Amino acid sequence: MASHGARGRSGGRPTLEEVAARAGVGRGTVSRVINGSPRVSDATRAAVEAAVAELGYVPNTAARALAANRTDAIALVVPEPETRFFAEPYFSDMLRGVGAELSDTEMQLLLIFAGSDRERQRLAQYLAAHRVDGVLLVSVHADDPLPDLLVQLEIPAVISGPRSAAETLTSVDSDNYGGGRSAVEHLLASGRRTIAHITGRLDVYGAQRRVDGYRDALRDAGHRADELLIEPGDFTEEGGRRAMTRLLERDPALDAVFAGSDVMAAGARQVLREVGRRIPDDVALVGYDDSAIARHMDPPLTSVRQPIVEMGRAMIDLLLAEIADRRPAVSRGLERRHAVLPTELVVRASS
């Protein structure tokens, strides 16, 4: 009966060591079960839970966190203005995946914006005080100092999309190269030949890889990529409008556009309609992200689906693994871990 073991051998509250002894496992295994770690077998989890019930063990969350120098908090850091966060479906989907994966743990999630110099300075002070156990970095640009700060502070961190091919932090990304390539291959297969590309910000590695996929798809089909048909955007609707206007000025006869995000595709569509170009009759249009914007556009937008919710979940899994071993990656002798999730072209009426 549970009441029989309500006190430990010392006559006080049952300890973690006593639960471990009763279950026939190590202290660390008991800790992992109590913290909801997925890295425990079903049989071991059942044995620990039975021992907890028999002894009447009650975890002391505050004491456990203090003893382990933990805060039981994770920060989701977005180095962008709040306006962009709430305007782009990418961020809400990422947040949804992160929240879903954390729901079965005791971790608290903090959302922190760091789009201005003042916000970055305040964040640096906050992180230096080690007020979180780990950090998720989303939408990081190549020159962003935050990743290097996290390395210096030895704070476990996972980045959404590497800054380059030589990324030093653990990262989760989608196959941006394959996604860009599949978009252009689809347009070529449908008979389009003058295919323009509105890129995302080119200080974002994922945007660079989409351009690489665009160029290689054209080259492998025997077409030379016309650099005048590649126009940088900034992942915003207004950026899509500006880029589409410039592209039409250079080549009014273009017959397809691959936009690096659904939001930019929406801006491009507005310009095409204003000048009387029909979609898809005159110009085929493809976006990226497969967001709600794509499904509700008129006509519905062909788009490359990123598994954004799944990326958020994967980021949490990797971060919890980093937190479980607080030693620096160098001393652990571990190679960088980079998860790349597949993309999928979702064909709709716009192409």
Side-chain angles (χ1 to χ4, degrees):
M1 295 175 62
S3 60
H4 174 73
R7 290 185 176 275
R9 295 189 186 95
S10 62
R13 293 177 57 180
T15 65
L16 198 68
E17 289 77 7
E18 289 169 352
V19 173
R22 177 67 64 92
V25 298
R27 187 181 187 279
T29 300
V30 175
S31 180
R32 283 192 289 274
V33 171
I34 291 172
N35 285 307
S37 170
R39 297 180 298 280
V40 180
S41 70
D42 291 341
T44 299
R45 186 182 306 280
V48 171
E49 289 174 348
V52 167
E54 290 169 6
L55 291 172
Y57 175 74
V58 178
N60 185 328
T61 304
R64 188 170 69 247
L66 182 63
N69 193 26
R70 283 177 44 182
T71 64
D72 284 335
I74 287 173
L76 175 62
V77 177
V78 184
E80 301 282 358
E82 292 183 38
T83 51
R84 186 183 168 201
F85 180 89
F86 292 107
E88 293 189 30
Y90 174 89
F91 294 108
S92 59
D93 286 346
M94 179 67 71
L95 184 59
R96 188 153 54 93
V98 168
E101 198 67 8
L102 272 183
S103 61
D104 292 332
T105 74
E106 295 180 356
M107 289 284 190
Q108 297 295 316
L109 181 65
L110 308 176
L111 177 59
I112 300 176
F113 296 103
S116 68
D117 289 340
R118 182 178 179 183
E119 288 173 335
R120 287 167 187 266
Q121 291 172 2
R122 190 163 57 236
L123 173 62
Q125 294 172 353
Y126 186 82
L127 294 176
H130 289 273
R131 293 179 178 173
V132 295
D133 293 327
V135 172
L136 302 172
L137 272 176
V138 179
S139 186
V140 179
H141 301 246
D143 59 351
D144 197 313
L146 285 175
D148 293 333
L149 174 64
L150 292 168
V151 172
Q152 292 170 12
L153 296 174
E154 297 186 357
I155 296 176
V158 177
I159 193 169
S160 172
R163 292 165 291 171
S164 70
E167 179 58 65
T168 55
L169 288 177
T170 295
S171 70
V172 175
D173 203 4
S174 66
D175 181 7
N176 289 290
Y177 174 84
R181 187 180 181 100
S182 67
V184 177
E185 288 174 345
H186 165 70
L187 291 168
L188 289 168
S190 63
R192 312 291 171 155
R193 290 297 177 265
T194 310
I195 302 171
H197 179 34
I198 300 174
T199 78
R201 288 186 55 165
L202 292 177
D203 59 350
V204 174
Y205 184 60
Q208 297 171 24
R209 293 298 288 155
R210 292 171 201 177
V211 177
D212 291 341
Y214 163 87
R215 287 195 177 105
D216 287 354
L218 287 173
R219 182 201 63 203
D220 292 348
H223 303 280
R224 182 179 62 85
D226 186 346
E227 295 302 310
L228 292 178
L229 290 177
I230 301 175
E231 180 62 28
D234 58 2
F235 292 117
T236 69
E237 187 172 352
E238 181 56 33
R241 285 184 57 87
R242 289 194 301 266
M244 190 71 253
T245 299
R246 295 190 187 106
L247 288 167
L248 287 173
E249 289 171 351
R250 293 178 199 148
D251 193 337
L254 61 85
D255 61 4
V257 177
F258 164 44
S261 75
D262 293 343
V263 174
M264 291 193 298
R269 184 199 64 158
Q270 293 173 12
V271 173
L272 289 169
R273 285 192 164 181
E274 288 168 3
V275 299
R277 304 298 299 277
R278 297 168 300 166
I279 302 171
D281 305 67
D282 301 322
V283 179
L285 184 61
V286 176
Y288 207 101
D289 289 334
D290 191 33
S291 64
I293 291 172
R295 297 188 292 274
H296 296 146
M297 197 178 289
D298 179 24
L301 180 68
T302 294
S303 184
V304 178
R305 179 183 181 270
Q306 287 195 92
I308 301 171
V309 173
E310 293 87 345
M311 289 166 64
R313 287 181 174 273
M315 288 181 72
I316 284 295
D317 286 344
L318 287 172
L319 184 60
L320 291 178
E322 293 277 332
I323 292 171
D325 186 350
R326 294 298 296 267
R327 289 173 295 160
V330 173
S331 66
R332 280 183 273 146
L334 296 178
E335 295 182 358
R336 296 186 303 271
R337 285 171 288 181
H338 299 311
V340 179
L341 280 62
T343 55
E344 175 189 1
L345 182 70
V346 180
V347 179
R348 298 190 179 93
S350 70
S351 62

